Amino acid sequence: MKKYFLLSFSFILMGCQQESNSLTPLFSFPNKLKEVSGITYVPSANLLWVLEDRGNPNAIYSINSNGKIENTLTIANTDNIDWEDITKDKEGNLYIGDFGNNDNERKDLSIYKIDKNALQSKSATPVYKISFTYPEQKDFPPKKSEMFYDVEGFFEFKDNFYLFTKNRSKGFDGTAFLYKIPNAPGVHLAVLMGKFETCTVYNSCAITSATISPNDEKVAILTHDKLFLFENFKNDDFLNGTKTVLELNHFSQKEAACFKDNDRLFLADERTKSIGGNVYNVSLKMLKSKS
């Protein structure tokens, strides 16, 4: 669970979901998966791979279209310090983002590569580990007004990772940074690519996931009730593309997103008491037609 989530979240969540049914669940996660924080889709197997964040096992899970666990893959020689997202490359290898940093004090931020040929096993050792730091961060933790270094969403694109930060600063204004890290083993300095503003209400505007379409033409950024869509960009200049805000008209603790195809996305939320813990399917075309 997220340390800085407002105490009133459960109340707000229940009220908003009771008022809105714009998203219909495809299925609910098994009861053992209460804190899903990342998902990615493997079309060749028609499976979602999911992970949970800190306090949960160092394992990832494949989920079939009925919401059942097909395989539990323990990731050997790792600890789930705070796994926040999972993504894949064009070859089908998976990557685990161990970069949750609620307090902005971590110096052990990591990404693990999992070979696609190990996904049917019960245990796998990462092919390699990528470690990184943010050059702009000088203090651990920084001032409460400069807590920009938590991440819950990333994707792989042309042999690089792109990380979108979750702003935890006092006086939240929606500012998010985009960082770039090479997909290569070793220790790297993250490169600041730019920043943008989501909106100014934390519960609606803090970034919880990021994903890129299979054709590499759309980038979608998730919050609890919105998608920020970037299109018409060149190369990896995502932030200078056309930005569209798509309202989901559905409020829950959404923590994960991935593309199913070039139009449709899977979204997932954490289970909060009796609410959430579901996977949803949304169409960008449909959301645009209602915006």
Side-chain angles (χ1 to χ4, degrees), residues 111-125:
I111 297 168
Y112 298 102
K113 179 178 181 178
I114 310 302
D115 191 281
K116 64 180 179 181
N117 296 315
L119 298 183
Q120 295 183 9
S121 306
K122 293 300 181 183
S123 178
T125 299

Side-chain angles (χ1 to χ4, degrees), residues 70-286:
E70 289 275 325
N71 188 32
T72 298
L73 177 59
T74 298
I75 309 303
N77 301 327
T78 66
D79 293 315
N80 185 344
I81 298 174
D82 197 356
W83 294 4
E84 284 292 356
D85 206 1
I86 184 170
T87 192
K88 68 178 188 296
D89 60 25
K90 294 295 187 184
E91 288 71 45
N93 303 299
L94 302 188
Y95 298 87
I96 294 168
D98 187 0
F99 40 50
N101 194 16
N102 290 2
D103 296 324
N104 281 222
E105 61 186 10
R106 287 185 63 182
K107 296 183 179 180
D108 56 355
L109 306 171
S110 305
I111 297 168
Y112 298 102
K113 179 178 181 178
I114 310 302
D115 191 281
K116 64 180 179 181
N117 296 315
L119 298 183
Q120 295 183 9
S121 306
K122 293 300 181 183
S123 178
T125 299
V127 178
Y128 54 72
K129 176 181 179 180
I130 300 122
S131 300
F132 65 94
T133 59
Y134 305 109
E136 289 73 25
Q137 183 174 5
K138 307 301 182 183
D139 300 307
F140 298 83
K143 298 176 182 177
K144 291 185 178 180
S145 60
E146 299 175 358
M147 295 186 70
F148 299 114
Y149 303 103
D150 185 21
V151 169
E152 295 189 6
F154 81 139
F155 55 78
E156 206 268 0
F157 172 70
K158 295 185 178 179
D159 298 320
N160 290 283
F161 297 106
Y162 295 85
L163 286 67
F164 291 79
T165 64
K166 182 174 186 177
N167 188 336
R168 292 187 177 274
S169 300
K170 181 179 180 180
F172 178 86
D173 64 359
T175 298
F177 294 155
L178 170 60
Y179 278 99
K180 178 178 180 179
I181 299 165
N183 182 358
V187 180
H188 304 282
L189 293 177
V191 176
L192 180 60
M193 300 287 288
K195 64 180 181 179
F196 74 104
E197 283 72 41
T198 54
C199 48
T200 58
V201 179
Y202 179 84
N203 271 345
S204 293
C205 311
I207 292 173
T208 59
S209 192
T211 183
I212 192 167
S213 60
N215 64 6
D216 297 332
E217 294 180 359
K218 302 179 181 73
V219 167
I221 310 301
L222 179 69
T223 71
H224 293 315
D225 62 6
K226 296 176 179 59
L227 285 170
F228 293 85
L229 181 67
F230 292 90
E231 301 174 281
N232 305 313
F233 46 79
K234 294 183 179 180
N235 299 316
D236 63 357
D237 193 13
F238 310 121
L239 300 184
N240 282 322
T242 304
K243 184 176 81 170
T244 306
V245 182
L246 299 174
E247 298 289 344
L248 297 173
N249 297 314
H250 180 282
F251 190 94
S252 65
Q253 193 174 341
K254 297 177 189 68
E255 295 284 340
C258 66
F259 275 92
K260 180 180 182 182
D261 54 39
N262 293 319
D263 175 61
R264 292 173 294 170
L265 293 92
F266 291 115
L267 308 179
D269 50 14
E270 285 193 8
R271 184 173 290 116
T272 304
K273 295 185 178 179
S274 60
I275 296 171
N278 300 317
V279 171
Y280 310 88
N281 186 306
V282 299
S283 162
L284 295 177
K285 291 180 181 177
M286 186 65 68

Side-chain angles (χ1 to χ4, degrees), residues 1-5 9-10 34-35 53-56 82 84 102 152 168 253 255 270-273:
M1 302 298 292
K2 305 300 179 283
K3 182 176 179 180
Y4 288 102
F5 221 77
F9 176 78
S10 296
K34 293 180 171 60
E35 295 185 306
D53 57 14
R54 65 178 178 175
N56 291 289
D82 197 356
E84 284 292 356
N102 290 2
E152 295 189 6
R168 292 187 177 274
Q253 193 174 341
E255 295 284 340
E270 285 193 8
R271 184 173 290 116
T272 304
K273 295 185 178 179

